[in-house]
């Protein structure tokens, strides 16, 4: 028999009490579920915003490799929006987007970088930087969401979120790989007026 209900819940102040002291196990679970759902709405907004921001990054890129990586991740991101809708359905809530201030800021930073750099390898290096900040934010978010879903017994949601988490990790690794070449090119841009490719290869070998 459950006897966890206290006087606070009877006079209707349970919600207020739970945000302060997490009085009972059920209060804590309720609070965690609310946080989980709030964060789902946040990342839903973020992914949707990225489907508009990534095309702008692609337009500003000169590296073929980077263009390919971003184009691939744009497709992945569009599918992630749909997957989040499946997560909402799995946990029995509506897909509502709530502005993610962090992602809005990261996208703004990406735009600043693109404005402040010349088109070419330096801007490419900046786009990778901005892209990796985005991926790291997503990795942190999805990592936590997977853990929350597991704790809440939402196994289907956990599995779906884990798929996205793996895609974000992969995107981050791909960007790291491209950065290895592009950063060297960017560093060489000013002081090398001869055989750039040769210089890059020499630097990479070190
Ligand atoms: Fe994503
Ligand atoms: Zn956020
Ligand atoms: Fe942040
Ligand atoms: Fe991503």
């Amino acid at each position: 028999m459950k006897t966890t209900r206290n006087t606070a819940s009877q006079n209707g102040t349970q919600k207020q009490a739970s945000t302060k002291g997490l009085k009972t196990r059920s209060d804590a679970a309720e609070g965690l579920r609310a946080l989980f759902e709030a964060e789902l709405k946040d990342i839903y907004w973020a992914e949707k915003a990225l489907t508009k921001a990534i095309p702008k990054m692609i337009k500003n890129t000169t590296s073929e490799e980077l263009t390919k990586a971003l184009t691939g991740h744009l497709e992945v991101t569009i599918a992630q929006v749909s997957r989040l809708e499946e997560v909402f359905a799995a946990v029995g809530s509506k897909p509502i987007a709530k502005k993610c201030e962090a992602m809005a800021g990261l996208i703004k930073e990406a735009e600043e970088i693109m404005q402040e750099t010349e088109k070419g390898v330096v801007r490419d290096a900046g786009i990778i930087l901005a892209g990796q900040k985005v991926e790291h934010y997503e990795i942190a978010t999805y990592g936590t969401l997977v853990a929350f879903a597991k704790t809440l017994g939402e196994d289907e949601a956990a599995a779906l979120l884990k798929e996205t988490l793996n895609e974000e990790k992969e995107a981050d690794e791909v960007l790291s790989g491209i950065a290895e070449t592009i950063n060297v090119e960017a560093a060489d841009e000013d002081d090398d007026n001869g055989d750039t490719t040769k210089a890059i290869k020499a630097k990479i070998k070190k």
Side-chain angles (χ1 to χ4, degrees), residues 42-59:
D42 175 282
I43 198 69
Y44 186 50
W45 187 96
E47 295 288 11
K48 282 184 157 188
L50 287 168
T51 64
K52 291 173 198 145
I54 298 171
K56 288 183 204 161
M57 292 162 91
I58 294 169
K59 268 191 206 155

Side-chain angles (χ1 to χ4, degrees), residues 130-146:
Q132 287 197 285
K133 287 188 185 189
V134 166
E135 296 315 317
H136 279 244
Y137 179 82
E138 291 182 306
I139 290 165
T141 303
Y142 284 109
T144 302
L145 285 173
V146 169

Side-chain angles (χ1 to χ4, degrees), residues 47 50 54 73 76-77 80 131 134-135 138 142 164 167-169 171-172:
E47 295 288 11
L50 287 168
I54 298 171
H73 199 59
V76 166
T77 302
Q80 288 174 348
V134 166
E135 296 315 317
E138 291 182 306
Y142 284 109
T164 300
E167 289 169 352
E168 310 298 15
K169 285 181 179 170
D172 180 53

Side-chain angles (χ1 to χ4, degrees), residues 83-117:
R83 190 180 293 132
L84 277 171
E85 287 160 5
E86 288 178 53
V87 174
F88 279 109
V91 302
S93 69
K94 286 199 180 111
I96 297 164
K98 188 183 170 290
K99 186 178 180 185
C100 170
E101 297 293 348
M103 190 57 77
L106 290 172
I107 290 170
K108 203 173 163 217
E109 276 194 17
E111 282 164 1
E112 276 173 17
I113 287 170
M114 292 189 288
Q115 278 162 16
E116 289 163 7
T117 51

Side-chain angles (χ1 to χ4, degrees), residues 184 196-206:
V184 177
T196 313
T197 316
K198 205 172 158 187
I200 293 160
K201 282 182 180 160
K203 282 206 177 182
I204 291 169
K205 274 182 186 162
K206 276 179 195 170

